[in-house]
Amino acid sequence: MESSDVDLDLQRSVRAVLRELSAQAPALPSNQGMWRWSLHKKVERDPGKSPALVRILLRELEKAESEDARHVIIPLLHTLMYVLTKATGITEELHRRTYAFCTKLLTLPAPYCTIALDCAIRLKTETAVPGTLYQRLVIAEQNLTSELYPYRERVFLFVDPELVSPSVCSALLLEIEAAQGQQTPEACMRHVVSHALQAALGEACEAGVLQRKLQTSSRRALEHYFHAVVAAVEQMASEPSPSREGHLERLEEIYCSLLGPAAAARGRCGACPSGEPRQDRLPSIPLPSPHITFHLWTNEEQLWKELVLFLRPRSQLRLSADLEALDLQGLLPDRELARASMLSTDSGIERDLPWGADEPPTPGSPEVERARLKRKGGIKKRVWPPDVLMPGSWDGPPGLHQRTGRPSGDRGLLPGVSRLHTARVLVLGDDRMLGRLARAYHSLRKRETQKFCLTPRLSLQLWVCPVPLSLCPQKPTASRRSELGELAAFLGRADPWYESIVNTLCPAIHKLAEMPLSLDTSQTVDPFILDAITYYVRMGTQPIYFQIYAVKIFLSDLSQDPAEDIFLTELKVKIQDSKFPRESLSPRRRGVAEGPGAELSVRYQKALLSHRTREVTVSLRATGLVLKALPAGDTEVSGPTHCPPTAAPEAAHTCLNISVTEVVKTSNLTGRSFSTVTNTFRSANVQIQSQDQRLLTLLLDKDSCRAYRDVARFEVAPCPEPCSGAQKSKVLGLSSHQEEIERTKAKAKPLRMPINTFSGIVQ
């Protein structure tokens, strides 16, 4: 194909992506999200088109910046960075043009300047040391062993079998296995070596001969060249002023040792070692999909257990022993909070203890199972088996700090990277699944205040992919479908690229679930769903923070303790039928009870623009209430409720949209009649109590499994960050006035759950 024809074909594909973003009317469901995927596939099958695509994307970005068409800047920038990560034939001039454009975007407001800064940091290294982005991505995602780059990443795909049909679960699992079947460590190391040499040497590298040589190399030789390439790239990238010429010289030495000096010299002269003319089309170097583990959601403790297993070294990975150790070390949240009292009968002097009291019991002995606390010298001591190594006692790989998990010595972390391990949790489901995820996230944060073992070493990031509701085990009605996907719809309004890439996966998942299952995983396929999920996980790094709300529930049975729970999207209140006969009520209350609904007392703090506190108490008759944590319309997308903590002050900005279906009584000549009207107000704290004999039913996050009946009163407030024991111990040493100030500051910090998108909220 001629160069002009290639440019026209790529130009049409890019314009199709832009039309999909700018179109007022949505495209066909079967075509949504396909243009971006087909564009990347064209370059993947023919890597020689990469420079042309980079020039076209740069031209469109410069045009969008000059015309102030900001809605296409972030999608085009993500597309450009994805191409630059995978490509090998990009010249230094194109890298510098892209870097210069990103620096121009730093004058724009967030999120444009935030994303542009991240791209500029990565491009600066990629310009001086080509192939760095690809190498680091593959090493981290495939968990390849490297002392110079010890970062590890893993994608955890959680699917709730109660909310997603078995056909979807089976189809996704088979597609993941089919795509990852060929991604062995040897293949990934070959890709890293080949990509680094091609990116640095350019046309002087004989790609076909190099790949054939790597295919025939032994495992030991392959590991030798892999570590040599990684050392050359990382050492040059870590220098204050990396030199592209110095990097080229070091990789030329590796290239000559791999193919031999004569072959390398002939390659620089433009002919193959066998005398054949050079190939017109470069062989493709695929970017392997990340290591994805598929999990069926069982309970909220599963997320924490999987993260613990991810942190454990591979040599100590024993699933059964790990799960038993979780209970053995007293890390269950309910039992951890309970303090055990013990009666001491010894003198408290260590020499008075019987011989052998200091020796820990053998692993698996009855003493370990019976007692979690052991008396030693008048001090309570928790007894753990010596062979059970949790992350808190893991020394980690060589060169890493034992407590923080970061590289020790002079070499620090990479810019923008805070932990060595990154857990990318992708949840497939609707608002009910997100409510369960919020409970697991709250439980994990609460558990971390008791044993600080995950936070110093692990960066936890969350992604959400909606599931087609027509494939749920319980078929929902048409009105029910829109209700269960409110959070995904909000993310689509906040981030147009999320709407185009992620929300359009529902038809593709529906089609995949209806296809007959093929157990042959050796066939080469182009998994559209897996590619779209991979693109979302890799490029969607801008979080939107959602406030988690705590609800305290008081039941009608006073002998029962109040229940505490949380919700993320919605709390629905229904009025139960009265359990008392009408004859048992007084005549005055009988007339009130004959009307629909129930008498409610509502006390709330009104949300004011001045951020002042104003409490309002009203009594009304209502047939139901709905407390929504998500903005209802497009005009509220950019509200401060979902901004990160650094972008909004810690005042009471988080507000619930409370809709009350109030009963209005009218009297006329024909008698008494009742009508309903919906009133809406905003508040962050609300207390609701039933004033008559009718009780309430609460439904959290639209989940029928999280319903509370016979409720007399409940209170809703933003869920605070769990206070750690270290913070409490610091407060004890302060004066009463300072202690009150510190407690007020601790209570004012709300708990927000971040969900990653491509751009965050576009103002």
Side-chain angles (χ1 to χ4, degrees):
M1 184 180 294
E2 297 291 336
S3 177
S4 58
D5 296 337
V6 171
D7 291 347
L8 289 176
D9 181 58
L10 295 175
Q11 183 73 37
R12 283 193 295 266
S13 299
V14 173
R15 292 289 174 85
V17 174
L18 298 179
R19 282 197 304 270
E20 187 175 349
L21 287 170
S22 306
Q24 298 295 331
L28 294 176
S30 59
N31 295 332
Q32 289 180 336
M34 293 291 295
W35 290 112
R36 195 272 325 163
W37 181 74
S38 62
L39 179 63
H40 286 294
K41 282 298 174 183
K42 289 180 180 179
V43 179
E44 182 179 319
R45 290 165 184 154
D46 189 359
K49 297 180 180 179
S50 299
L53 180 58
V54 170
R55 284 191 293 267
I56 293 172
L57 292 173
L58 268 175
R59 189 163 56 245
E60 294 294 336
L61 277 169
E62 293 168 352
K63 178 181 177 182
E65 192 267 340
S66 62
E67 297 177 356
D68 202 21
R70 297 185 180 181
H71 66 285
V72 300
I73 289 180
I74 293 178
L76 287 175
L77 195 57
H78 280 311
T79 305
L80 176 59
M81 290 301 300
Y82 207 61
V83 174
L84 290 175
T85 302
K86 301 168 66 175
T88 57
I90 308 302
T91 61
E92 184 178 2
E93 183 265 337
L94 285 177
H95 277 122
R96 295 192 181 279
R97 279 184 56 191
T98 308
Y99 176 80
F101 177 80
C102 291
T103 56
K104 289 177 59 178
L105 297 182
L106 297 179
T107 59
L108 297 180
Y112 304 100
C113 61
T114 305
I115 299 175
L117 178 61
D118 177 69
C119 295
I121 292 174
R122 292 188 290 164
L123 281 170
K124 187 176 182 179
T125 304
E126 182 70 15
T127 304
V129 189
T132 307
L133 298 180
Y134 180 94
Q135 175 178 293
R136 290 176 173 177
L137 188 64
V138 174
I139 291 176
E141 290 182 346
Q142 305 301 324
N143 296 328
L144 299 179
T145 303
S146 175
E147 295 182 359
L148 293 177
Y149 194 80
Y151 300 93
R152 293 176 58 194
E153 298 178 2
R154 183 177 297 177
V155 179
F156 298 84
L157 178 59
F158 283 97
V159 179
D160 196 327
E162 296 181 359
L163 307 179
V164 181
S165 64
S167 60
V168 174
C169 297
S170 301
L172 287 176
L173 181 58
L174 288 176
E175 183 165 330
I176 292 174
E177 291 178 350
Q180 297 183 347
Q182 306 296 328
Q183 294 177 190
T184 61
E186 293 82 3
C188 294
M189 286 190 288
R190 281 193 293 267
H191 296 332
V192 169
V193 174
S194 181
H195 186 277
L197 294 176
Q198 289 189 41
L201 303 180
E203 296 182 355
C205 176
E206 277 299 328
V209 179
L210 175 63
Q211 291 193 5
R212 287 194 296 269
K213 177 64 176 180
L214 292 174
Q215 287 284 351
T216 58
S217 299
S218 63
R219 172 65 184 261
R220 184 175 180 179
L222 184 60
E223 289 181 350
H224 169 73
Y225 291 117
F226 168 75
H227 290 297
V229 167
V230 172
V233 173
E234 291 300 328
Q235 289 175 3
M236 183 60 66
S238 62
E239 292 183 1
S241 300
S243 170
R244 190 181 180 103
E245 291 75 14
H247 175 64
L248 177 60
E249 292 178 0
R250 298 189 64 177
L251 288 188
E252 278 184 346
E253 295 177 0
I254 300 175
Y255 182 70
C256 292
S257 64
L258 184 61
L259 296 183
R266 283 194 296 268
R268 286 193 294 269
C269 294
C272 293
S274 59
E276 298 176 358
R278 187 183 299 272
Q279 296 178 358
D280 294 336
R281 174 175 295 187
L282 294 174
S284 175
I285 304 176
L287 179 60
S289 60
H291 180 56
I292 301 177
T293 57
F294 189 88
H295 305 273
L296 294 179
W297 187 275
T298 55
N299 53 63
E300 63 185 34
E301 303 297 327
Q302 184 182 7
L303 175 61
W304 186 82
K305 294 177 182 179
E306 295 296 339
L307 296 181
V308 169
L309 299 183
F310 172 49
L311 282 178
R312 288 179 63 89
R314 298 179 184 177
S315 59
Q316 300 170 3
L317 189 58
R318 300 194 305 269
L319 279 177
S320 59
D322 287 343
L323 300 184
E324 291 173 1
L326 298 179
D327 294 337
L328 198 59
Q329 296 197 24
L331 296 178
L332 292 180
D334 296 335
R335 279 182 265 176
E336 180 72 16
L337 295 178
R339 182 176 179 178
S341 299
M342 297 182 63
L343 178 62
S344 176
T345 58
D346 58 35
S347 62
I349 303 175
E350 188 170 355
R351 68 184 180 185
D352 292 342
L353 293 174
W355 183 84
D358 293 339
E359 298 297 329
T362 59
S365 62
E367 289 80 1
V368 175
E369 300 294 336
R370 282 197 304 265
R372 299 189 178 203
L373 297 176
K374 180 178 178 61
R375 187 72 169 178
K376 178 183 178 182
I379 301 175
K380 293 179 180 179
K381 182 179 179 181
R382 194 178 301 275
V383 178
W384 295 343
D387 64 334
V388 177
L389 297 178
M390 292 296 289
S393 61
W394 170 46
D395 293 333
L400 304 186
H401 195 279
Q402 180 177 358
R403 182 177 61 84
T404 63
R406 301 185 178 187
S408 59
D410 298 333
R411 195 172 65 89
L413 286 171
L414 295 178
V417 180
S418 60
R419 301 293 188 272
L420 284 179
H421 292 72
T422 301
R424 305 179 183 272
V425 178
L426 176 63
V427 175
L428 188 67
D430 50 26
D431 292 349
R432 297 170 295 177
M433 181 62 190
L434 293 176
R436 301 178 185 184
L437 176 64
R439 292 187 66 182
Y441 182 75
H442 175 263
S443 175
L444 186 146
R445 296 296 294 269
K446 186 177 179 181
R447 193 191 294 269
E448 281 294 288
T449 64
Q450 304 159 19
K451 183 170 178 61
F452 201 59
C453 65
L454 291 183
T455 305
R457 300 181 181 88
L458 182 69
S459 174
L460 176 62
Q461 302 180 22
L462 305 177
W463 285 263
V464 172
C465 181
V467 67
L469 300 176
S470 58
L471 296 177
C472 295
Q474 298 85 13
K475 299 294 183 180
T477 59
S479 60
R480 179 71 170 158
R481 296 178 184 178
S482 60
E483 293 178 1
L484 294 177
E486 287 185 343
L487 192 139
F490 170 80
L491 294 177
R493 296 195 304 270
D495 185 357
W497 200 226
Y498 180 91
E499 177 71 22
S500 176
I501 300 299
V502 182
N503 279 346
T504 55
L505 283 179
C506 289
I509 297 177
H510 189 284
K511 184 184 298 184
L512 177 65
E514 292 180 345
M515 294 175 59
L517 298 179
S518 176
L519 300 179
D520 185 10
T521 60
S522 62
Q523 297 180 356
T524 302
V525 294
D526 286 333
F528 169 69
I529 298 176
L530 183 60
D531 284 352
I533 289 176
T534 299
Y535 180 81
Y536 173 40
V537 170
R538 284 171 174 165
M539 308 305 293
T541 58
Q542 302 301 314
I544 296 179
Y545 291 83
F546 292 88
Q547 175 64 53
I548 297 177
Y549 290 90
V551 53
K552 192 172 185 179
I553 303 168
F554 299 85
L555 303 177
S556 60
D557 188 359
L558 299 181
S559 62
Q560 298 185 16
D561 295 332
E564 295 184 357
D565 207 335
I566 63 171
F567 69 93
L568 181 68
T569 58
E570 179 185 283
L571 170 61
K572 191 174 228 181
V573 183
K574 296 181 180 179
I575 310 299
Q576 297 179 195
D577 294 334
S578 177
K579 296 183 178 180
F580 302 93
R582 188 170 61 91
E583 290 77 9
S584 63
L585 301 177
S586 62
R588 180 181 177 183
R589 301 293 302 171
R590 190 182 306 169
V592 177
E594 287 179 352
E599 288 287 335
L600 302 178
S601 173
V602 182
R603 182 180 181 183
Y604 64 96
Q605 292 183 358
K606 192 172 183 179
L608 301 175
L609 293 178
S610 61
H611 303 154
R612 296 176 181 174
T613 302
R614 178 184 173 186
E615 291 192 355
V616 179
T617 302
V618 296
S619 295
L620 49 87
R621 189 168 191 84
T623 59
L625 296 90
V626 179
L627 288 72
K628 287 187 175 292
L630 298 178
D634 296 340
T635 58
E636 299 182 71
V637 165
S638 60
T641 302
H642 308 281
C643 290
T646 56
E650 292 296 339
H653 286 229
T654 54
C655 291
L656 289 165
N657 294 315
I658 305 174
S659 300
V660 183
T661 306
E662 187 177 358
V663 177
V664 180
K665 181 177 66 174
T666 57
S667 299
N668 48 35
L669 297 178
T670 59
R672 183 182 302 170
S673 62
F674 300 93
S675 60
T676 59
V677 60
T678 302
N679 296 322
T680 303
F681 59 93
R682 302 183 68 184
S683 175
N685 301 270
V686 62
Q687 303 177 15
I688 299 177
Q689 182 174 0
S690 177
Q691 298 290 342
D692 53 19
Q693 300 295 339
R694 293 191 176 182
L695 301 177
L696 311 176
T697 297
L698 306 185
L699 187 65
L700 303 180
D701 288 323
K702 312 164 191 176
D703 194 347
S704 60
C705 298
R706 300 176 59 199
Y708 293 87
R709 293 184 57 84
D710 300 335
V711 177
R713 179 169 65 94
F714 68 94
E715 302 172 357
V716 176
C719 182
E721 279 274 8
C723 295
S724 64
Q727 292 173 341
K728 293 180 181 178
S729 63
K730 294 178 182 179
V731 172
L732 295 178
L734 302 176
S735 62
S736 58
H737 178 66
Q738 292 175 335
E739 181 179 346
E740 187 66 26
I741 294 177
E742 291 296 329
R743 288 179 178 175
T744 304
K745 289 181 179 179
K747 292 180 181 178
K749 187 177 181 180
L751 176 62
R752 296 185 175 100
M753 186 175 75
I755 296 179
N756 280 5
T757 59
F758 294 100
S759 62
I761 295 180
V762 179
Q763 301 291 341

